[in-house]
């Protein structure tokens, strides 16, 4: 086990620490005019059930964040184990992310097909935090497929979830 007590080293150490934290992967979607936009996120969590609030953390400068701020709504698409290619694609800097990706529109938000779960949210508030924006969303509606397993991101790689 590596320990770090020098504040100057904390950034890289925190990065290494977080690599040990396994988590699901989602694509946050929104729209810029009539164009679908979206990016891969792992910083997603449920905040409260009453009211139903979730949170995504998006980097300042994210095009998805700009669209979410403008449109006031966003989708959360929880990727299936078979969709790890979408996690890579929606994080890539330059490509037509939605090309050949099946999706449909719900309440002005692109919703990806064949995911484990999906939600459409209305922006409740956005809280600045260092170089990220914490976007709280009121869940307008959500659905899940109980038969599909998610992809898990751990130590920089994607895994299926085995029982
Ligand atoms: C597994 C994984 C998880 C990621 N999680 C986040 C995240 O939680 N928040 C974030 O802002 N970027 C995250 N990213 C990086 C964005 O997907 C990436 O910077 C993307 O190009 C941003 O696109 P945009 O500028 O079109 O919004 C993640 C990337 C990967 C591969």
């Amino acid at each position: 086990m590596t320990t770090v007590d020098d504040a100057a080293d904390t950034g890289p150490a925190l990065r290494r620490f977080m690599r040990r934290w396994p988590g699901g992967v989602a694509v946050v979607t929104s729209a810029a005019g009539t164009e679908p936009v979206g990016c891969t996120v792992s910083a997603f969590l449920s905040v409260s059930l009453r009211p139903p609030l979730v949170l995504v953390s998006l980097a300042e400068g994210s095009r998805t964040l700009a669209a979410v701020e403008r449109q006031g709504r966003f989708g959360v698409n929880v990727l299936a184990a078979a969709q790890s290619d979408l996690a890579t694609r929606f994080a890539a800097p330059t490509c037509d992310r939605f090309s050949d990706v099946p999706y449909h529109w719900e309440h002005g938000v692109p919703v990806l097909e064949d995911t484990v779960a999906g939600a459409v949210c209305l922006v409740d508030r956005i809280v600045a935090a260092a170089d990220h924006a914490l976007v709280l969303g009121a869940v307008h509606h959500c659905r899940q497929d109980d038969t599909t397993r998610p992809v898990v991101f751990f130590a920089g790689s994607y895994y299926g979830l085995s029982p």
Side-chain angles (χ1 to χ4, degrees):
M1 166 109 36
T2 310
T3 59
V4 172
D5 53 13
D6 180 349
D9 285 341
T10 305
L14 178 58
R15 185 186 291 266
R16 289 194 299 275
F17 172 82
M18 291 306 297
R19 279 172 63 84
R20 309 315 295 170
W21 172 247
V25 183
V27 171
V28 169
T29 52
S30 193
T34 57
E35 292 299 310
V37 299
C39 74
T40 303
V41 303
S42 53
F44 167 65
L45 60 101
S46 140
V47 173
S48 70
L49 294 178
R50 290 189 194 153
L53 280 182
V54 296
L55 182 153
V56 293
S57 174
L58 291 172
E60 294 290 351
S62 153
R63 291 164 296 181
T64 307
L65 173 61
V68 169
E69 286 174 326
R70 223 174 297 120
Q71 221 211 0
R73 57 186 65 198
F74 62 94
V76 179
N77 303 268
V78 180
L79 296 182
Q83 294 177 314
S84 61
D85 56 323
L86 295 187
T88 304
R89 175 197 280 240
F90 278 84
T94 54
C95 75
D96 180 0
R97 291 175 177 168
F98 285 84
S99 171
D100 300 327
V101 175
Y103 70 94
H104 63 277
W105 291 91
E106 280 181 34
H107 303 280
V109 165
V111 173
L112 304 188
E113 309 287 354
D114 305 320
T115 58
V116 172
V120 173
C121 307
L122 305 177
V123 172
D124 177 79
R125 78 197 79 162
I126 298 180
V127 181
D131 59 356
H132 278 61
L134 308 181
V135 182
L136 284 103
V139 178
H140 182 270
H141 70 268
C142 57
R143 51 115 197 114
Q144 73 288 326
D145 177 352
D146 296 330
T147 64
T148 308
R149 291 183 180 278
V151 66
V152 175
F153 189 63
F154 173 69
S157 299
Y158 299 103
Y159 297 87
L161 192 63
S162 304

